[in-house]
Amino acid sequence: MARSGRPRGFDRHAALDSAMHLFWEHGYEGASLLTLRHAMGDLSSASFYAAFGSKEALYRETLERYLDRHGGIVGALDDDRLAPRARLEQALVASVAVQTDLAHPKGCMITLSATISSEAGASIRALTKAEREVTRQALHRCIAAGVAAGDLDLTTDVAGLVALYDGLLLGVSIQARDGVGADTIRAGIGYAMAAWDRHRIGSPAQPGNPAAAPNAAPNAAPVERGLSPRN
C-alpha cells in the first residue's frame, strides 16, 4: 500500500533546500520527480503533491528560496549608500564568490536551470527570463545613476554597458561550471570595470580608441558573501 503521510521528522525547509540544489545542478527538466522525492526525504507521491502541489509549484518555491538566499545583486546595485561604480563592482565580485562557492552547485540557478527546455517548460522559461530582466533593469539604474551623478559622461551608451555587464554575469555561470578559477574570473571583472572608467568625466580614454585602454585590471572591491546574480 502506498504511503499517504509524510515521513516522520519531515523538514520542509530541508526538503526545499534539497530540491533547490537538484534544480540548480540539473535544471528543471533534468531533475525528475522520483529523484526530487527521494532527495526531499523519500516522500511518497501522495505526500509530495499534498505538500507542494506540483513539480512546477515546487520549482517556483525553490526559486524564491534561491533569490532570498543568493539573489542580493539587485539590492546591491540599488544601494545608494555607495557610489554607482562601487555598487556595480561589489555586486559583480560578490556574484563570482557565490557562483564559485563549493558549498552548493556552481553557477546561477536562474541562468542555468531553465534557459533551454521543451515546450512543457515554457512557463518556467518565462519565469527565469523575467528574473534576468530584473537584473538588467537594476544594472540600467546603476549605470544611469553614474551618469546622473556626474561620474559618467552624458554621451555614455548606457544600454551598451548594461549589455556588457549582463553578459559578464551570465557568462560567469558557464565559466564556473567549466571549472574556471574564481581568481581568473575576478580578474575579468577588473577589465570589465575599465569600460566604466573609459567613460568617466575627465578620463583621457575615448570610447572606440583601443590604444587608450588600461593595461592592467584595477583591484577588486571587498566582497560581502551571500550575493549572487538575479539572472
Side-chain angles (χ1 to χ4, degrees), residues 43-103:
L43 292 177
S44 69
S45 180
S47 298
F48 173 84
Y49 287 111
F52 301 103
S54 67
K55 180 182 177 181
E56 180 173 332
L58 171 66
Y59 178 85
R60 290 175 179 273
E61 191 168 348
T62 60
L63 187 62
E64 283 302 315
R65 194 167 181 83
Y66 172 85
L67 292 172
D68 288 342
R69 292 188 171 189
H70 307 292
I73 188 171
V74 171
L77 290 168
D78 287 328
D79 185 358
D80 59 10
R81 295 172 299 178
L82 298 174
R85 188 191 186 283
R87 298 179 216 169
L88 175 61
E89 186 171 24
Q90 289 197 16
L92 294 173
V93 172
S95 175
V96 172
V98 172
Q99 293 198 61
T100 57
D101 194 334
L102 297 178

Side-chain angles (χ1 to χ4, degrees), residues 200-216:
R200 299 185 92 164
I201 292 177
S203 170
Q206 296 296 320
N209 179 11
N215 293 321

Side-chain angles (χ1 to χ4, degrees), residues 18-19 22 26 30-42:
S18 296
L22 280 173
H26 301 291
S32 70
L33 266 176
L34 182 62
T35 304
L36 286 163
R37 284 167 40 207
H38 175 71
M40 296 168 72
D42 285 323

Side-chain angles (χ1 to χ4, degrees), residues 131-214:
E131 291 296 344
R132 289 190 293 273
E133 181 59 25
V134 169
T135 296
R136 293 186 190 103
Q137 292 301 319
L139 285 167
H140 191 282
R141 289 192 298 273
C142 182
I143 295 167
V147 176
D151 187 34
L152 293 174
D153 191 271
L154 290 174
T155 63
T156 298
D157 182 354
V158 175
L161 285 181
V162 170
L164 170 67
Y165 296 119
D166 181 47
L168 174 61
L169 283 169
L170 295 171
V172 170
S173 288
I174 304 301
Q175 290 183 317
R177 283 289 175 96
D178 284 348
V180 178
D183 288 344
T184 299
I185 302 174
R186 280 193 292 267
I189 289 174
Y191 284 104
M193 293 308 302
W196 178 294
D197 295 334
R198 290 180 63 196
H199 291 81
R200 299 185 92 164
I201 292 177
S203 170
Q206 296 296 320
N209 179 11

